[in-house]
Amino acid sequence: MTTESRRLSAPSEPSAEDFRTFFDLVEVPAALCDLELRLRAGNPAFTRFCFDHGLSVDQLLEGLDLGAVPDDWGTRELEVMLPQGGSVLVELSRRGDCVSVVGRHASDNIRGHLVMVEQALLEQARTEGVLLDLSRSVAEAGSEEELVAAVARGVKELFPGRAFCIRITDARTGVLTSLYAEGRLKEGSREPLVLKRSATEKLHLSVASLPAGVVVAPRVPLLFEGSVDGVSAPLVASGQLYGAINLEYTAPRRGESTYFQDERVLVQLANQVAVAVKNAKLIDELTFVRKYLEDLLEKANALIVVSNREGKIVVFNQAISRLTGFSKEEVLGKDVGFVVHRDEHLRMGPALWASLRGEQVPNFELRLRTRTGEARVSFATSTTLTPQGEVEGVMAIGQDVTVVAQLEQRIIHAEKLASLGQLAASVAHEINNPMTAVVTYADAMLQRMVPVGGAASGDAEKLRKILENGQRILRFTRDLTSYARPSKNKPERVLLNALLDKAVGFCEHVVSQTRVSVARDYGEVPPLSAVPANLEQVFVNLITNACHAMRPGGQVSLRTRAEGREAVVWVTDTGSGIDPEHLSRIFEPFFTTKTEGRGTGLGLSIVQRIVEKHGGRLEVASEKGQGTTFTVRLPLAD
């Protein structure tokens, strides 16, 4: 078997002719030029490319701008205008002193345009998606702070890597209410708010209606340090300014298309944000007004209750809650009749139905049910209407007339007392003279019969009874006269301790009858200015009352001290004390807790009047089962 082998030689480098042949065979229209774009070589495809577009090779090269030659190793696309209209696209690439010119066929242009359109559509879809998400976020925002945070997230997604500032202002005053900045702000760039004049004209924003703190200028100053350019969009809704969004570049823009695209999207974003800010401001205002009106009704001094058409209570303010003792939680949602006394339900029905018909019911009085009883209230009603003018419920505003009724009773009582005082004066005058004669003759007869001895002892005892009861009648007429007409005696210097001893002497018969004891604890008290007889009457009355309040074995304590410029006397008993409901009335004329025949109810009222006429004060402290203490405070003599 014969084997034949063949040796292959290494390929040699292609010659210049080989390169020329390859250049001519390439179907891509290409030419080589110098830096002045003078033709060095061109392939047949380039010649056909020029011919197909109605140009010669020289005409095409002359249409190229020498300034468009790229830097070394750079590439640039140029558009060459055709004489018959239209244009052709060529690509220049530079390597050293050689520049290649490559023609682009229509299919390549279309493909490039399709890629650009596809990118634009994708960017538009992304922008619309971000704006849609932003609209949901701002709609869910519960406050202005949350709204600004949502807008900031949207701006970051739409313009990644850009510095931006969001400023929200009050539409009426222009005062800055919220600010968010992504970047380092220049000093003093927060305010004032500067708007571009062309933007205000496009939005038909009246410059005269803008707040004082807003400036309109041909250009908007840059807000961030390191920024070289920027765009801005005011937040305008319904002709009112709510702030602005500023977007700035820290490097030169890549082209005018980028600038206009950013401005278009920013304006679209600003319009959406402005409506959201306006709605948020309106919601805040409505919330404030509603809260203000609720507080106004809740804390008003008047009694306010509101019911709906079904007669259910929907408003029950603090004043009526305090009056009735029922809390708001107990009453809301219940029928109006819940707080009305059951005896008044028949009277309340016609008034409620008249109010629901739109009629006003003024000065309607009825009794309300309270935790402790009832209260009389005078109401005036009015209807609450829906926006369509239909009756929605009834508002009743009233005042507590229970106190007024009590005052009326007191006035009637005072008038009766005045009439009784006049009657007492005339009765005292008519009784005093004959009773004085009876007492005088009884005393004279008693003095004559006493020496007679036992034989007349029965008659003497009868005379003593006549004398005692006659003196009692005279004391009563004297009390009436003292209450109705003040004493005309002149004050003099009085030693308080000595006067108290004298008053105790006057009460010896009462002390012995009630079988109680008297304890004295006197301090050093300087003289005071007083009418002795009147002051004696004060302490005689207090000591007598103390004796009557105790059982046998009790003790009356008399204590005196000087406190500052006052002389103080404490009269204390060990009795059963005074009921709390009686304590506030013991100084009322004719009020008494004693059994019938033992008191007139004038004693303490006269005592109080005498003490006050002396410039002093009368106080009482009592605890049930622990006794009572009367404190008399009198000014010392100068």
Side-chain angles (χ1 to χ4, degrees), residues 145 150 166 194 271 285 339 419 442 457 474 533 591:
E145 183 180 356
I166 304 169
V194 181
N271 293 337
E285 289 182 4
V339 294
S419 301
S457 60
L474 288 176
F591 177 80

Side-chain angles (χ1 to χ4, degrees), residues 552-592:
Q555 184 181 72
V556 180
S557 299
L558 303 177
R559 180 167 166 258
T560 62
R561 292 290 187 273
E563 293 184 354
R565 297 301 304 163
E566 287 184 333
V568 186
V569 181
W570 291 273
V571 180
T572 305
D573 63 59
T574 57
S576 58
I578 303 173
D579 290 334
E581 62 267 22
H582 295 156
L583 196 61
S584 61
R585 300 188 59 195
I586 60 174
F587 297 116
E588 293 181 8
F590 301 104
F591 177 80
T592 180

Side-chain angles (χ1 to χ4, degrees), residues 523-543:
E524 294 185 5
V525 180
L528 51 89
S529 178
V531 179
N534 289 353
L535 215 53
E536 288 170 5
Q537 185 179 357
V538 168
F539 295 114
V540 167
N541 201 306
L542 293 179
I543 294 171

Side-chain angles (χ1 to χ4, degrees), residues 288-553:
F288 171 78
V289 171
R290 181 175 180 179
K291 183 67 169 60
Y292 176 78
L293 292 177
E294 287 179 354
D295 289 344
L296 193 64
L297 292 176
E298 181 67 19
K299 298 177 181 178
N301 289 330
L303 309 174
I304 299 177
V305 59
V306 181
S307 71
N308 57 19
R309 286 191 59 84
E310 289 72 33
K312 305 294 184 182
I313 298 174
V314 294
V315 174
F316 197 75
N317 75 339
Q318 292 179 1
I320 196 168
S321 180
R322 286 193 300 268
L323 176 66
T324 61
F326 297 118
S327 66
K328 183 189 299 186
E329 291 73 18
E330 294 178 280
V331 174
L332 293 183
K334 294 186 178 179
D335 291 334
V336 176
F338 176 79
V339 294
V340 177
H341 196 280
R342 63 173 179 269
D343 295 341
E344 301 280 0
H345 285 182
L346 292 177
R347 292 184 59 246
M348 178 193 69
L352 181 61
W353 286 112
S355 299
L356 289 173
R357 290 194 303 270
E359 302 175 11
Q360 291 188 350
V361 182
N363 301 326
F364 178 72
E365 286 194 16
L366 76 164
R367 288 176 293 161
L368 296 184
R369 186 168 66 93
T370 68
R371 287 197 183 276
T372 58
E374 63 182 49
R376 180 164 290 278
V377 177
S378 174
F379 280 114
T381 66
S382 62
T383 54
T384 58
L385 305 177
T386 63
Q388 293 75 29
E390 299 177 355
V391 176
E392 186 177 31
V394 177
M395 174 184 289
I397 302 176
Q399 61 177 349
D400 181 12
V401 295
T402 306
V403 176
V404 175
Q406 292 175 351
L407 291 176
E408 289 177 351
Q409 292 297 324
R410 290 187 180 183
I411 291 172
I412 295 172
H413 185 58
E415 291 176 349
K416 289 180 179 179
L417 290 178
S419 301
L420 188 58
Q422 295 175 356
L423 177 63
S426 60
V427 169
H429 178 72
E430 294 297 329
I431 293 176
N432 202 46
N433 291 335
M435 285 308 302
T436 301
V438 170
V439 170
T440 301
Y441 288 127
D443 183 59
M445 292 176 66
L446 181 62
Q447 294 299 327
R448 290 182 181 180
M449 294 181 66
V450 169
V452 174
S457 60
D459 293 337
E461 184 61 29
K462 292 176 182 178
L463 286 174
R464 288 192 186 94
K465 293 291 185 180
I466 293 172
L467 183 61
E468 181 181 342
N469 286 280
Q471 289 174 341
R472 179 182 171 189
I473 293 173
L474 288 176
R475 281 196 305 272
F476 176 67
T477 57
R478 185 171 60 250
D479 287 346
L480 286 175
T481 306
S482 298
Y483 182 74
R485 183 172 58 251
S487 173
K488 296 181 180 180
N489 295 337
K490 292 183 179 180
E492 56 186 74
R493 295 175 70 85
V494 174
L495 295 175
L496 185 60
N497 294 341
L499 188 141
L500 276 173
D501 286 336
K502 189 175 181 181
V504 173
F506 291 151
C507 298
E508 283 183 354
H509 64 290
V510 179
V511 172
S512 61
Q513 285 179 357
T514 55
R515 297 195 296 276
V516 298
S517 60
V518 178
R520 298 175 176 85
D521 180 12
Y522 295 161
E524 294 185 5
V525 180
L528 51 89
S529 178
V531 179
N534 289 353
L535 215 53
E536 288 170 5
Q537 185 179 357
V538 168
F539 295 114
V540 167
N541 201 306
L542 293 179
I543 294 171
T544 301
N545 285 348
C547 293
H548 289 165
M550 294 183 293
R551 293 179 179 179

Side-chain angles (χ1 to χ4, degrees), residues 137-138 140-150 178 276 280-281 283-284:
S137 299
V138 297
E140 296 172 356
S143 64
E144 186 173 305
E145 183 180 356
E146 293 179 4
L147 187 146
V148 172
S178 296
K281 297 277 189 183
I283 290 172
D284 288 344

